[in-house]
Amino acid sequence: MTPAQQHTVDAARFTELVESASAGDWARPAPVADWTALDVVKHLVEWPRAFLRGAGIELPALAVDAGPAAAWKQHVADIQAILEDPAGRVLSNPHTGDRPVDEAIDQFYTGDIWMHSWDLAKALGREPDLGEERCAGALAAMRPMEPMLRDSGQFGPAVPVDDGAPAQDKLMGFLGRDPAWRP
């Protein structure tokens, strides 16, 4: 899939979750320590907008607190427009180097939507399905970088998971999430 196609797929799954949430659901706890369902959406709206400044792209702030679903839909449209027409822009970041903007979004952001859909689904009391094959592939790609990922502070300590557990549970355990977590 192209970066635009992958974003379409992953954002659609997350959008379904966002649209299914009631006003009272946004305060529900999420599997990420000290986060709510609303915090999951805020994270996915706020950090990439700041990240894209490295490509000279200034997207206006969105009022996620005032309307999570509306803010999310606008954010998805903004990112999709960039992916559909990257216009040769290069994203420069001291941590990631220089990359075409569509590749940078795909590598650093789109996967984040995919993984955080697990968090939002759990916060909303649903059972997420990220796809066993994709989970196994992501886990295999991350394992060699484990020390660097842990040192970054973006992942918590690994949660032990049975060897026979599904790939999704193994991936979530690797990321520091308890696959059996419930709100």
Side-chain angles (χ1 to χ4, degrees), residues 13-14 16-18 20-21 25-26 28-31 36-37 40-41 113-130 168 181-183:
R13 175 187 313 225
F14 197 85
E16 287 175 23
L17 290 166
V18 168
S20 75
D25 286 336
W26 295 116
R28 291 174 64 123
T36 63
V40 176
V41 177
I113 297 171
W114 172 67
M115 285 191 261
H116 281 300
S117 67
W118 187 91
D119 294 319
L120 185 57
K122 286 289 202 176
L124 297 175
R126 296 177 181 84
E127 277 306 313
D129 180 3
L130 300 182
Q168 178 173 287
W181 186 91
R182 300 278 181 262

Side-chain angles (χ1 to χ4, degrees), residues 89-183:
R89 292 176 283 203
V90 173
L91 189 138
S92 296
N93 183 288
H95 305 291
T96 64
D98 293 350
R99 302 176 181 273
V101 70
D102 56 334
E103 290 177 20
I105 291 169
D106 187 54
Q107 183 174 1
F108 299 105
Y109 174 64
T110 303
D112 211 31
I113 297 171
W114 172 67
M115 285 191 261
H116 281 300
S117 67
W118 187 91
D119 294 319
L120 185 57
K122 286 289 202 176
L124 297 175
R126 296 177 181 84
E127 277 306 313
D129 180 3
L130 300 182
E132 285 297 291
E133 187 176 319
R134 189 168 177 191
C135 287
L139 183 57
M142 286 187 219
R143 281 200 192 281
M145 302 181 291
E146 184 170 4
M148 179 192 69
L149 295 172
R150 299 262 178 252
D151 290 347
S152 75
Q154 294 186 20
F155 301 126
V159 174
V161 178
D162 290 337
D163 289 341
Q168 178 173 287
D169 289 355
K170 289 179 182 178
L171 175 63
M172 289 303 118
F174 178 86
L175 297 175
R177 311 281 201 282
D178 178 357
W181 186 91
R182 300 278 181 262

